[in-house]
Amino acid sequence: MKTHRLDKTDLSLLSILARDGRLSKSELARRVGLGATSCWERMQRLEQAGVIAGYRAEVSLRALGPAVTVFVTIELGEHRAENFDRFEREIARHDEITGCWALGGGFDYLMQVVTRDIESYQALMDTVLEQRAGVARYFSYIVTKSVKDAPPPFDLLSQS
């Protein structure tokens, strides 16, 4: 993937948008220290370059009703390309699996699952196991509270 050289203003713009994506264009420009047109042009350039991949609302799960978040480490039984492909296809079918990352190290994958309750989480895992997705074993970690949930430190990640 191509990396993009970002200046201090770009990084400031990204940091502000990551924390508050609903700012008006004029307020964003004010916070970044640019004119509205110049700010808008930078945003368009960052979007077209794929640096800004999209915009989302941060939804409070508590406001919707009961919910549980579970992180799951997965170890596959066999480590051939077709095994990884089969597992990843199965995971993509389930909306409750909100994140899944391939890992280097002791486990093959880390999944994030958001569902109504522990029973529905276990029903999901039973379904994944029944589909013969290649899971040898898995470990579940129930989230009891969110301690920190922040955007990445863009200024530390940039090659500028």
Side-chain angles (χ1 to χ4, degrees), residues 85-94 97 127-128 131 133:
D85 290 344
R86 181 175 1 137
F87 175 78
E88 291 172 14
R89 279 193 310 273
E90 178 61 25
I91 293 313
R93 295 176 355 109
H94 301 281
I97 300 172
T127 299
V128 169
Q131 294 303 313

Side-chain angles (χ1 to χ4, degrees), residues 47-67:
E47 289 171 3
Q48 290 168 354
V51 175
I52 296 176
Y55 299 89
R56 302 178 192 187
E58 186 175 326
V59 177
S60 170
L61 294 178
R62 287 182 147 172
L64 299 177

